[in-house]
């Protein structure tokens, strides 16, 4: 017998309301997954056949977790005599998995074979690149990934999604679309977007397949409904508009994916399609302190187009929110890392319990650098590591090649970057020549007989590349400023121009350029008066490589600080949260005023606040470094929406005297953590 007494009154109401349309408005940290799994188990207990129940989620991980939790709640049936007698189970899967099940049975009606293949992103990119090769202007690179992303937006979000795109990319994507679809069709292939669109086409053109699905899935639940796009909404509406046993679970205050086609109106305007919908609000939060929730409620109420709800908790008032103001982003990163280490040493708070949240990927540079310098393990989620970005890897490969031309891996990476007539075929031949002669590729390139084996134009390209290496190496031994030497590399190779040309999105290109200039600025950290440029470059590269060698070790260690973008943190929680960079132009993002997405930016801040369980620290800077220059910043307008009685300024907090006993205990804890034994003193 299912024990519903463990649920609070609103959770229980949501679980027991199983007939007709239901909206479970589940605020952050209110036990949403528990309610969904209990609801499915309750339906089965009430006699609804498991096979008639469909639960739809956005990720395979969420689907697996729900399926496992439902299995634990429902009683096991009699022992089976054979594998054919598998018990009926509810279907809990993603939108895409559901569509694959339907299409495997019926796709022949659309002219495909049942054994269709599903292209992954790399296969989609290959198809797009092949098509683009016929359109591209000579000397200009087209970003195939941007075109593919735009194709996906067209399919899922229509005109609204197109509004977020660069006009040139949007036009090119429209031009490519028919050829792309034809190329996939010729291979009996579909992509992830096609799975839903072809299912919709099947339902429209062959109504009997829709009727069969309606008969099977008589009770439908959808999780994270605020994140559904136009095609997902249409799919669910077609399945449920007859029997109306449709339960959606979501929170409009956590709708933060409008840029990829999510329609908040799907949740806000549910009554338009189901006038009799029953709304159940889950407002008791089991995650955060009253202070954190009161702050979150105060911020989000400034969004007028929302379903009202008021999160509350019985966890107590808790500590005030700490607000820091820093001179620049490097001071911010350094201090946040110091606070993390202080919490670990003085209060025994492991790295695992601490997270740093930021708005844009470019903010991770200063944070990652400070964490590395302090030897703090971290795990980056929802963004590419600063040190894993293409432009940084290319730049480091240039430095390694000019320091040691016999480093084949580095030389092969940058030999034709930017393009200088050393094609893949040419480099393969040079690599083969180096293997025959048991020498490096650089040494093979210098062999006159190897040079003579190439045609005149390629031979000239090889000689020019050799000259670039020799002159740059010679300049390294003569220079005092590594920064000037590195900037000359970018000028001589034309790498910055290549970066700008290869990126269709101007902002993305400038971010890449900025990443490089920020990296170059760090080259001068060591004392030029004590060592030569070559030695300083060796030390710089060693420090980075030693840290990279520990990467695998870090990933295997569970205890690590989480470094995460605000878009990726939804659904997660951390005892101690640091929200950095709360500045106008970052959050809200500078684009939000132009695109009219200020409400979504505020929801992003709300999501970030509600990740915190015990303490929340927020910071902003007076300036941020861009291309090595400190540019002024202004505090985010969202800061004014925080009730000031809940906020404590860091400067004021630091002035408070610590009681002698507390100070002594903290000192002892830090000495113990550092492994200092009083008896040896």
């Amino acid at each position: 017998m299912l024990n519903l007494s463990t649920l609070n009154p609103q959770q229980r109401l949501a679980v027991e309301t199983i007939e007709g349309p239901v909206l479970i408005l589940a605020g952050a940290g209110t036990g949403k997954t528990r309610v969904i799994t209990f609801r499915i188990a309750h339906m089965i207990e009430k006699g609804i056949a498991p096979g008639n129940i469909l639960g739809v989620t956005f990720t395979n991980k969420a689907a697996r977790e729900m399926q496992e939790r439902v299995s634990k709640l429902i009683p096991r049936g009699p022992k089976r005599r054979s594998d054919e007698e598998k018990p009926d189970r509810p279907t809990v899967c993603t939108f895409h998995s559901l569509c694959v099940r339907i299409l495997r049975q019926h796709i022949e009606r659309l002219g495909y074979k049942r054994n269709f293949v599903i292209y992954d992103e790399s296969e989609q990119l290959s198809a797009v690149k092949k098509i683009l090769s016929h359109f591209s202007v000579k000397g200009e690179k087209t970003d195939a990934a941007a075109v593919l992303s735009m194709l996906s937006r067209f399919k899922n979000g229509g005109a609204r999604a197109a509004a977020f795109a660069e006009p040139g990319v949007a036009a090119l994507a429209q031009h490519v679309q028919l050829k792309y679809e034809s190329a996939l069709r010729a291979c009996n292939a579909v992509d992830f977007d096609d799975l839903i669109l072809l299912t919709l086409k099947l339902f429209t053109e062959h109504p009997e397949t829709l009727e069969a699905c309606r008969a099977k899935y008589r009770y439908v639940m959808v999780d994270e409904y605020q994140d559904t796009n136009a095609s997902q909404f249409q799919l669910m509406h077609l399945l449920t508009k007859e029997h109306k046993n449709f339960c959606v679970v979501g929170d409009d205050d956590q709708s933060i994916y409008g840029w990829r086609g999510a329609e908040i109106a799907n949740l806000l305007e549910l009554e338009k399609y189901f006038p009799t919908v029953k709304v159940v609000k889950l407002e008791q939060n089991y995650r955060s302190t009253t202070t954190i929730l009161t702050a979150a409620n105060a911020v989000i109420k400034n969004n007028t187009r929302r379903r009202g709800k008021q999160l509350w908790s019985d966890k107590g008032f808790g500590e005030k929110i700490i607000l820091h103001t820093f001179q620049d982003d490097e001071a911010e990163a350094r201090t946040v890392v110091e606070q993390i280490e202080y919490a670990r040493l003085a209060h025994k708070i492991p790295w695992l319990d601490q997270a740093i949240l930021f708005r844009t990927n470019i903010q991770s540079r200063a944070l990652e650098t400070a964490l590395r310098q302090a030897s703090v393990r971290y795990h980056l989620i929802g963004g590419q590591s600063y040190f894993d970005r293409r432009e940084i890897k290319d730049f480091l490969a240039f430095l390694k090649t000019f320091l040691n031309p016999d480093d084949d891996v580095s030389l092969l990476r940058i030999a034709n970057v930017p393009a200088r007539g050393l094609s893949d075929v040419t480099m393969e031949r040079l690599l083969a020549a180096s293997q025959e002669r048991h020498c490096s590729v650089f040494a093979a390139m210098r062999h006159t007989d190897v040079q003579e084996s190439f045609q005149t134009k390629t031979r000239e390209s090889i000689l020019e590349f050799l000259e670039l290496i020799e002159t740059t190496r010679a300049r390294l031994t003569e220079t005092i400023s590594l920064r000037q030497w590195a900037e000359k590399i970018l000028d001589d190779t034309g790498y910055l121009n290549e970066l700008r040309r290869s990126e269709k999105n101007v902002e993305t290109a400038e971010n890449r350029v900025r990443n490089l200039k920020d990296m170059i600025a760090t080259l001068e950290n060591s004392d030029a008066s004590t060592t030569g440029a070559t030695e300083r470059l060796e030390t710089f590269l060693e420090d980075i490589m030693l840290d990279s060698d520990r990467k695998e070790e870090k990933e295997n260690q569970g205890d690590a600080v989480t470094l995460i973008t605000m878009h990726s943190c939804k659904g997660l929680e951390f005892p101690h949260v640091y929200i950095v960079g709360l500045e106008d132009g970052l959050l809200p993002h500078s684009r939000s005023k132009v695109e009219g997405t200020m409400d979504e930016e505020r929801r992003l801040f709300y999501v970030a606040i509600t990740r915190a369980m015990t303490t929340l620290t927020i910071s902003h800077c007076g300036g941020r470094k861009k291309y090595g220059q400190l540019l002024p910043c202004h505090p985010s307008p969202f800061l004014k929406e925080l009730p000031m009685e809940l906020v404590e300024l860091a400067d004021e907090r630091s002035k408070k005297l610590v009681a002698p006993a507390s100070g002594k205990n903290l000192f002892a804890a830090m000495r113990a953590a550092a492994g200092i034994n009083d008896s040896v003193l």
Side-chain angles (χ1 to χ4, degrees):
M1 187 76 176
L2 196 62
N3 182 11
L4 300 183
S5 65
T6 58
L7 304 171
N8 70 41
Q10 288 303 104
Q11 288 177 331
R12 184 161 183 164
L13 178 61
V15 165
E16 293 181 328
T17 309
I18 56 178
E19 298 291 337
V22 183
L23 164 58
I24 301 174
L25 205 56
T30 55
K32 175 194 69 173
T33 306
R34 193 157 187 260
V35 168
I36 295 172
T37 52
F38 264 76
R39 193 173 187 273
I40 293 172
H42 180 65
M43 284 194 281
I44 294 169
E45 196 173 75
K46 287 293 180 184
I48 295 170
N52 291 149
I53 300 170
L54 170 65
V56 185
T57 70
F58 272 85
T59 66
N60 288 311
K61 182 184 175 186
R64 279 194 303 272
E65 184 188 349
M66 282 187 196
Q67 191 71 268
E68 288 166 7
R69 287 170 73 163
V70 169
S71 298
K72 288 175 184 175
L73 290 174
I74 55 179
R76 294 185 181 182
K79 199 171 182 181
R80 305 193 308 272
R81 287 194 300 272
S82 68
D83 286 339
E84 285 80 32
E85 296 179 31
K86 288 182 180 176
D88 216 5
R89 296 178 65 190
T91 301
V92 183
C93 61
T94 64
F95 281 98
H96 293 112
S97 299
L98 171 66
C99 291
V100 169
R101 290 172 189 233
I102 295 167
L103 291 173
R104 288 289 180 208
Q105 293 178 47
H106 306 291
I107 200 168
E108 286 170 323
R109 298 174 195 224
L110 298 177
Y112 289 82
K113 296 176 184 174
R114 278 197 187 186
N115 64 342
F116 64 87
V117 295
I118 303 167
Y119 270 13
D120 62 20
E121 191 176 352
S122 64
E123 290 162 328
Q124 290 174 257
L125 271 174
S126 295
V128 170
K129 283 176 181 175
K130 194 172 180 180
I131 296 164
L132 288 173
S133 66
H134 301 295
F135 295 134
S136 295
V137 180
K138 193 172 182 183
E140 182 182 326
K141 283 191 178 179
T142 304
D143 188 345
V147 173
L148 182 60
S149 174
M150 198 63 245
L151 284 173
S152 179
R153 288 184 193 179
F154 280 150
K155 289 181 178 183
N156 286 307
R160 182 173 184 271
F164 287 88
E166 289 283 315
V169 176
L172 187 57
Q174 283 178 315
H175 202 51
V176 166
Q177 192 166 7
L178 285 175
K179 290 185 179 294
Y180 172 74
E181 288 170 2
S182 176
L184 263 64
R185 186 77 181 250
C187 301
N188 195 39
V190 300
D191 63 21
F192 277 95
D193 298 318
D194 289 333
L195 293 173
I196 294 177
L197 297 175
L198 287 174
T199 304
L200 288 172
K201 187 178 181 185
L202 183 72
F203 285 171
T204 306
E205 296 179 4
H206 302 276
E208 69 280 7
T209 60
L210 174 57
E211 288 307 319
C213 289
R214 282 177 180 164
K216 178 171 175 58
Y217 303 123
R218 299 198 57 78
Y219 293 84
V220 178
M221 294 182 71
V222 181
D223 188 20
E224 303 284 9
Y225 194 65
Q226 77 280 349
D227 294 337
T228 52
N229 60 35
S231 56
Q232 290 162 341
F233 164 78
Q234 197 180 348
L235 180 71
M236 290 297 105
H237 189 241
L238 282 172
L239 275 177
T240 59
K241 70 177 183 180
E242 295 297 327
H243 59 64
K244 295 183 173 59
N245 293 322
F246 186 39
C247 174
V248 304
V249 186
D251 181 7
D252 51 311
D253 290 336
Q254 296 186 71
S255 178
I256 57 174
Y257 300 122
W259 49 276
R260 69 182 188 199
E263 294 277 3
I264 192 173
N266 293 348
L267 189 145
L268 291 176
E269 299 172 7
L270 195 61
E271 285 87 348
K272 187 192 292 187
Y273 305 95
F274 298 96
T276 60
V277 65
K278 181 167 185 175
V279 180
V280 181
K281 294 182 183 179
L282 305 183
E283 296 171 297
Q284 183 177 358
N285 176 286
Y286 293 91
R287 174 186 298 159
S288 308
T289 64
T290 298
T291 295
I292 291 165
L293 297 180
T294 305
N297 290 333
V299 167
I300 203 63
K301 75 177 182 185
N302 290 285
N303 278 2
T304 51
R305 190 169 177 247
R306 62 183 287 262
R307 291 181 181 266
K309 69 188 77 66
Q310 196 78 1
L311 294 182
W312 62 276
S313 166
D314 60 8
K315 289 185 71 174
F317 192 81
E319 294 185 31
K320 284 189 175 185
I321 297 165
I322 304 300
L323 180 62
H324 281 274
T325 303
F326 294 106
Q327 181 182 348
D328 57 36
D329 48 340
E330 290 182 357
E332 177 183 55
R334 199 166 51 246
T335 306
V336 167
V337 172
E338 285 170 2
Q339 290 175 323
I340 285 169
E341 276 298 80
Y342 178 77
R344 183 177 71 90
L345 295 171
H347 299 293
K348 294 187 169 56
I349 296 171
W351 287 328
L352 182 68
D353 287 349
Q354 306 187 68
I356 308 173
L357 277 54
F358 52 92
R359 172 64 175 86
T360 64
N361 284 326
I362 203 160
Q363 290 171 261
S364 77
R365 183 200 66 82
L367 295 165
E368 287 190 77
T369 301
L371 288 161
R372 284 167 177 247
Q373 286 174 348
S375 299
V376 174
R377 283 194 295 271
Y378 68 92
H379 178 41
L380 182 75
I381 302 174
Q384 190 180 26
S385 170
Y386 173 72
F387 296 95
D388 287 337
R389 288 170 185 150
R390 170 169 61 92
E391 64 275 15
I392 298 301
K393 284 185 169 252
D394 284 349
F395 178 65
L396 292 175
F398 274 118
L399 297 185
K400 290 177 195 172
T401 301
F402 296 136
L403 188 65
N404 173 22
D406 295 318
D407 177 352
D408 283 353
V409 174
S410 297
L411 184 141
L412 289 168
R413 181 179 180 97
I414 53 89
N416 206 40
V417 177
R420 54 172 64 86
L422 299 176
S423 66
D424 290 346
V425 174
T426 298
M427 297 314 297
E428 283 172 20
R429 284 179 59 187
L430 286 167
L431 183 60
S434 73
Q435 289 166 340
E436 285 172 18
R437 288 163 174 74
H438 304 289
C439 65
S440 68
V441 174
F442 176 70
M445 291 174 101
R446 298 174 72 183
H447 274 281
T448 51
D449 58 330
V450 172
Q451 293 170 9
E452 293 299 327
S453 68
F454 288 95
Q455 291 184 344
T456 306
K457 197 171 181 182
T458 304
R459 186 163 64 249
E460 287 172 357
S461 296
I462 292 171
L463 291 170
E464 284 174 12
F465 183 56
L466 289 171
E467 186 183 356
L468 172 70
I469 293 175
E470 297 291 5
T471 55
T472 308
R473 279 171 59 76
R475 210 181 297 124
L476 177 62
T477 59
E478 298 160 5
T479 190
I480 295 174
S481 170
L482 272 181
R483 181 172 183 164
Q484 290 176 1
W485 175 77
E487 285 170 347
K488 185 83 166 66
I489 291 172
L490 296 180
D491 287 339
D492 290 349
T493 59
Y495 187 79
L496 293 184
N497 290 334
E498 171 70 9
L499 265 186
R500 291 187 175 107
R501 190 167 58 247
S502 66
E503 288 288 353
K504 282 288 179 185
N505 185 302
V506 175
E507 187 180 354
T508 304
E510 288 310 311
N511 281 343
R512 289 191 180 280
V513 169
R514 178 181 167 185
N515 285 336
L516 273 180
K517 293 194 173 181
D518 286 345
M519 169 65 85
I520 288 173
T522 65
L523 278 169
E524 294 297 0
N525 284 345
S526 54
D527 187 358
S529 63
T530 56
T531 54
T534 303
E535 290 80 4
R536 278 181 283 134
L537 181 59
E538 285 172 347
T539 303
F540 174 80
L541 290 171
E542 277 172 16
D543 287 345
I544 289 174
M545 295 319 296
L546 285 172
D547 201 81
S548 298
D549 290 341
R550 290 197 294 270
K551 189 175 181 184
E552 191 174 329
E553 175 194 327
K554 285 181 182 180
E555 288 175 352
N556 292 334
Q557 293 274 350
D559 187 19
V561 172
T562 300
L563 201 55
I564 188 167
T565 64
M566 292 180 188
H567 277 106
S568 299
C569 73
K570 189 155 76 75
L572 302 176
E573 59 183 33
F574 308 94
H576 306 278
V577 167
Y578 301 84
I579 301 175
V580 298
L582 211 72
E583 294 137 31
D584 199 7
L586 278 178
L587 189 75
H589 197 278
S590 52
R591 289 195 307 262
S592 62
K593 291 163 191 172
V594 180
E595 296 170 352
T597 54
M598 185 68 89
D599 280 9
E600 184 157 318
E601 292 292 298
R602 186 178 281 108
R603 291 194 291 269
L604 196 55
F605 185 35
Y606 172 82
V607 166
I609 292 171
T610 54
R611 298 312 96 196
M613 300 167 72
T614 308
T615 69
L616 176 61
T617 303
I618 298 174
S619 60
H620 64 93
C621 301
R624 270 184 192 274
K625 279 195 175 172
K626 193 172 183 179
Y627 308 141
Q629 276 189 309
L630 195 64
L631 300 180
C633 297
H634 302 286
S636 167
F638 295 156
L639 283 172
K640 294 177 183 175
E641 298 173 2
L642 291 170
M644 286 317 295
E645 68 272 15
L646 303 178
V647 177
E648 186 174 5
L649 300 180
D651 291 345
E652 292 177 7
R653 186 181 226 211
S654 64
K655 292 173 188 173
K656 291 181 180 177
L657 290 173
V658 178
S662 300
K664 190 175 181 181
N665 290 340
L666 284 175
F667 187 59
M670 292 180 75
R671 288 171 65 82
I676 300 172
N677 188 341
D678 287 336
S679 63
V680 300
L681 296 178

